[in-house]
Amino acid sequence: MSGPLRLVQDEGGAERTMQLRTLPLKLRRQAPATPVQPEPEDELGLSADPLDELAERLNDICADAVHPYEIAAILESDGLSDEQAALLYGRPDAFTVAEELFEKVQRRYPGPSSEFANPWRADPWRCVVRGLVFALPGLGYLLGANLFATARMRFGLPSGMLALSVATLVSWGFNQALAHRSYRWLSRVRRRDAAVCLAVGAPMGALVAATAAYVVGGPLGSLCFAAGQSAYLGAATVLLVLGREKFLLVALAPASVGAGVVLAADVPEVVRTVVLLASVALAIGLAARELLRCVRAGDKDAPALRLPLYQELPHLLFGLACGALTLIAGLGETVHQAVQASGHTVHAVHTTVTHAAAHAGAHPGAHHAAGQTKAALTGPAMIALTLSLGLAEWLLFRYRAMAVAALRTSHTSAQFGRRTGGILLGCLFIYLTTVAALDAAATVLWPGAPALGVPQLGAMLLLGGSLWLALLLNAFGFSWSTALICLAAAVAESVGLLTGADPIALQLIGCGAAALLLTAIAGPALGRTTQHR
């Protein structure tokens, strides 16, 4: 989910981007077998209206258009200027040409054709796998729970947990930007360059995140755990971007099995550490193998191409904002109680801190089964959010597929806007309903978990809805808008939390405002036909 969605899901790496169709080439007329006497108005070889010939050439395009502006966009993309419109067709500008073409050609709306097949198809099983690989890393926190000593408290958390949280935020932001840059290479059919980008960026991101954890400080065991998590997240980014999410299931198998054993029996610390290292080593090894294969198979003689780095900045900020909002949802209540208990010095009570380790540093939406009071309250919500990420990706593809279908069948731009608005609300409703259902199921399965109250459920749904809308707008190129809105919500919630405000109220206000703004942007922007051509 880190970057623009590829149009065609192809394991072979055939990544393509949507391009405007250029004007059909003028067909060469065959010489007639017998001389034909020209019509009186065609003695010089000119038609009565040169626009008739253009209408014939653009018949299919004009028949599918729902507004003259669509035709004007295609004319301008093909290089038709106002001067050429006046010289060649006797019209003052390209928009006048487009309007007359729109009137000349009868609407047909044939629906999707072989020439312009709907490219937004997603394999639902692949999305299920991606949802699992987003959620399963949280099982690693069962195995590493003993590494977070509670002797030193900072902001209501064990010092090691604070370092892990900082490392998670850094990894989230860095890998979001890295994934987007790699997808930009893939969209240009430069798989080798994408692999080189990942080979350089993933280790760099892991090193930066581990260094950030070391600067914050904490017990040696927790710092080693943070370093291992950073390395895993870098390797996971490589495999996800290159479409090898099934390899991540293999890498996560030791940690998943080990977590199940830990729930049933007491496992020595050495065994837990070996199992965690096995999962990290498998992820790194599989990622390195895939990168090496892509580099060797790539075209080394491809022309040089440079992509500006500044375009990754909004995605880095968006990753940081998503991480902060998710951590506040998981740890907000613990930090709030610590602030209330100790004023603004922020020293925590031992019994409330232990359970916060459940959610601090996971891949989007971590969880831990040490759940008693606070972990049991937020754990099911975090599980629901992580498991729903696969559905979120599928719904992004589904929205774009249905929007393209609406573009092919709508008769007016207003009708298209209404249809896309309904599609948007429908996809959002399906996603939020599924999140609520997953939370209810996780609450039943989580030992001792209380039922989620209406305010808590509302805060979780607003967070999930905000992130889904932000991902959708990111896919359409509104990266700065989504990054700034989510970042503003994250900063506001963080400041409010550290000053003692109620975390649920903060999430309702922060995520609610973000969801409202994102919806206000998405409705009009995605209702324009030019966004879907």
Side-chain angles (χ1 to χ4, degrees):
M1 297 179 70
S2 302
L5 301 174
R6 290 182 292 173
L7 295 179
V8 178
Q9 297 298 308
D10 184 3
E11 291 293 337
E15 296 84 6
R16 297 187 288 112
T17 55
M18 185 178 292
Q19 299 176 349
L20 287 174
R21 292 174 291 177
T22 57
L23 299 183
L25 296 176
K26 184 176 180 179
L27 298 177
R28 185 182 300 275
R29 296 186 177 180
Q30 299 293 336
T34 59
V36 177
Q37 185 68 23
E39 296 293 335
E41 65 273 16
D42 194 29
E43 294 179 354
L44 299 178
L46 299 175
S47 62
D49 188 348
L51 204 63
D52 293 338
E53 183 182 1
L54 183 61
E56 181 182 351
R57 290 166 54 199
L58 298 180
N59 186 274
D60 292 338
I61 293 175
C62 296
D64 294 347
V66 298
H67 194 278
Y69 286 172
E70 287 189 58
I71 305 174
I74 294 174
L75 292 173
E76 289 187 342
S77 70
D78 201 63
L80 182 69
S81 64
D82 292 343
E83 292 80 5
Q84 291 174 325
L87 180 63
L88 298 177
Y89 304 109
R91 271 66 175 181
D93 50 47
F95 285 95
T96 304
V97 174
E99 290 172 357
E100 294 194 25
L101 289 174
F102 188 79
E103 294 176 358
K104 281 178 176 289
V105 180
Q106 184 180 3
R107 311 273 77 72
R108 287 200 304 271
Y109 311 113
S113 63
S114 58
E115 176 192 358
F116 190 73
N118 195 332
W120 296 102
R121 297 181 299 273
D123 182 3
W125 290 110
R126 185 175 186 178
C127 293
V128 170
V129 171
R130 289 175 71 88
L132 288 175
V133 301
F134 290 147
L136 288 178
L139 295 175
Y141 295 86
L142 279 172
L143 298 171
N146 295 337
L147 298 175
F148 301 97
T150 58
R152 294 164 51 193
M153 308 297 177
R154 303 169 75 178
F155 295 96
L157 303 172
S159 57
M161 184 58 64
L162 180 62
L164 182 62
S165 300
V166 172
T168 301
L169 286 177
V170 174
S171 293
W172 229 323
F174 192 97
N175 289 327
Q176 185 80 10
L178 176 63
H180 181 263
R181 185 171 183 81
S182 302
Y183 276 120
R184 289 172 63 197
W185 283 116
L186 291 175
S187 68
R188 290 160 174 80
V189 199
R190 305 285 287 263
R191 196 171 179 84
R192 184 178 186 275
D193 290 325
V196 171
C197 176
L198 290 167
V200 174
M204 184 184 301
L207 180 60
V208 171
T211 302
Y214 177 79
V215 170
V216 173
L220 179 60
S222 63
L223 295 181
C224 293
F225 188 94
Q229 175 192 262
S230 303
Y232 167 80
L233 290 176
T237 301
V238 171
L239 293 174
L240 288 172
V241 170
L242 297 179
R244 298 294 184 256
E245 45 277 316
K246 292 182 180 179
F247 290 175
L248 273 178
L249 288 179
V250 176
L252 291 169
S256 302
V257 174
V261 174
V262 166
L263 289 175
D266 187 19
V267 178
E269 189 64 34
V270 175
V271 176
R272 298 186 182 198
T273 303
V274 170
V275 172
L276 286 173
L277 290 175
S279 283
V280 173
L282 273 174
I284 295 175
L286 291 171
R289 172 180 174 272
E290 186 64 21
L291 287 173
L292 186 61
R293 189 181 71 84
C294 291
V295 170
R296 287 179 175 175
D299 184 7
K300 298 180 180 180
D301 298 326
L305 179 64
R306 296 177 65 90
L307 298 180
L309 279 173
Y310 70 86
Q311 294 184 7
E312 319 308 336
L313 179 59
H315 299 277
L316 185 147
L317 297 176
F318 177 67
L320 291 174
C322 289
L325 290 172
T326 306
L327 288 178
I328 291 172
L331 296 171
E333 187 64 30
T334 300
V335 176
H336 172 67
Q337 289 199 0
V339 172
Q340 293 290 355
S342 306
H344 298 292
T345 56
V346 197
H347 287 283
V349 180
H350 171 72
T351 55
T352 57
V353 184
T354 307
H355 315 301
H359 319 293
H363 207 270
H367 61 283
H368 185 345
Q372 296 177 6
T373 311
K374 299 307 172 190
L377 181 62
T378 59
M382 294 296 99
I383 292 175
L385 283 175
T386 51
L387 288 176
S388 70
L389 291 177
L391 174 66
E393 282 200 358
W394 183 80
L395 285 173
L396 292 177
F397 281 98
R398 187 61 183 162
Y399 171 82
R400 302 213 69 169
M402 295 175 71
V404 171
L407 182 65
R408 303 283 291 172
T409 56
S410 298
H411 290 206
T412 64
S413 56
Q415 185 184 42
F416 174 75
R418 289 192 297 270
R419 288 185 177 181
T420 53
I423 294 169
L424 176 64
L425 293 177
C427 290
L428 189 58
F429 176 78
I430 292 173
Y431 176 65
L432 296 181
T433 303
T434 305
V435 171
L438 288 173
D439 176 75
T443 301
V444 172
L445 297 176
W446 189 288
L452 207 62
V454 174
Q456 291 84 358
L457 179 62
M460 181 187 68
L461 294 181
L462 285 174
L463 172 61
S466 299
L467 296 182
W468 188 82
L469 287 169
L471 290 170
L472 179 64
L473 287 171
N474 265 341
F476 280 93
F478 295 90
S479 53
W480 273 110
S481 300
T482 56
L484 294 178
I485 290 173
C486 293
L487 190 63
V491 170
E493 289 188 22
S494 300
V495 172
L497 186 64
L498 295 179
T499 55
D502 180 57
I504 300 300
L506 286 173
Q507 292 173 58
L508 288 172
I509 296 173
C511 293
L516 186 62
L517 289 173
L518 291 169
T519 303
I521 293 175
L526 303 186
R528 294 197 297 264
T529 58
T530 52
Q531 290 288 348
H532 303 270
R533 296 294 288 188

